[in-house]
Amino acid sequence: MPAGNDLTPQQLHRIQQAVDNAEAVSGLIFSVFIGVAEEDSRRYAERLHAGLDDPQHSVLVLCDPGFRALEIITGVEARRTLDDVECRLAAASMQSSFAGGDIVGGLVLGIQQLGESARKPRTLHVNP
């Protein structure tokens, strides 16, 4: 299972496309970390998330293939549209792909699912 720096340019492009699409539909900021979590994966993910430019509106997906760890961290504002149930469903989708050896496909699927779950509501009225 590849770490982040072992991915091909095509794999990185697929993940970046998923991030771009999720950001466009949700208005949130998505970040992905693929690699070894230096400590407890949850605490490490929380520390990475806190270091983002706008953690309040950010979603961080951490995947540590070697230790089979997956963490999804949401900021305060992101949590308003993306709750724990939606994150668990996306995590389950990712883990199914991971179990089949498809790390990149799982991340792409999960990121897209998170973006769709946090989709900005459409406005159905027009201001005069």
Side-chain angles (χ1 to χ4, degrees):
M1 294 184 212
N5 54 354
D6 294 333
L7 298 175
T8 67
Q10 293 82 10
Q11 291 171 320
L12 290 171
H13 180 71
R14 284 183 60 205
I15 294 169
Q16 187 60 54
Q17 279 185 311
V19 166
D20 293 344
N21 290 339
E23 289 178 345
V25 300
S26 69
L28 299 175
I29 302 163
F30 283 80
S31 296
V32 179
F33 175 86
I34 306 167
V36 178
E38 296 174 355
E39 55 199 53
D40 173 272
S41 62
R42 182 73 182 181
R43 284 200 323 217
Y44 187 65
E46 288 171 345
R47 215 173 73 224
L48 289 174
H49 183 266
L52 296 173
D53 288 340
D54 185 3
Q56 302 294 344
H57 295 92
S58 295
V59 177
L60 173 79
V61 177
L62 176 142
C63 175
D64 182 339
F67 287 103
R68 299 181 181 259
L70 174 66
E71 300 290 344
I72 301 171
I73 307 295
T74 56
V76 173
E77 293 300 319
R79 184 172 287 284
R80 293 178 192 258
T81 57
L82 193 59
D83 65 23
D84 287 344
V85 171
E86 292 160 329
C87 290
R88 281 190 202 106
L89 289 171
S93 296
M94 287 187 258
Q95 288 170 331
S96 290
S97 293
F98 296 168
D102 188 5
I103 300 296
V104 173
L107 287 169
V108 167
L109 176 65
I111 293 163
Q112 289 172 337
Q113 190 172 344
L114 290 167
E116 285 295 324
S117 294
R119 180 182 282 276
K120 292 183 265 186
R122 298 179 80 187
T123 303
L124 299 177
H125 64 278
V126 179
N127 291 335

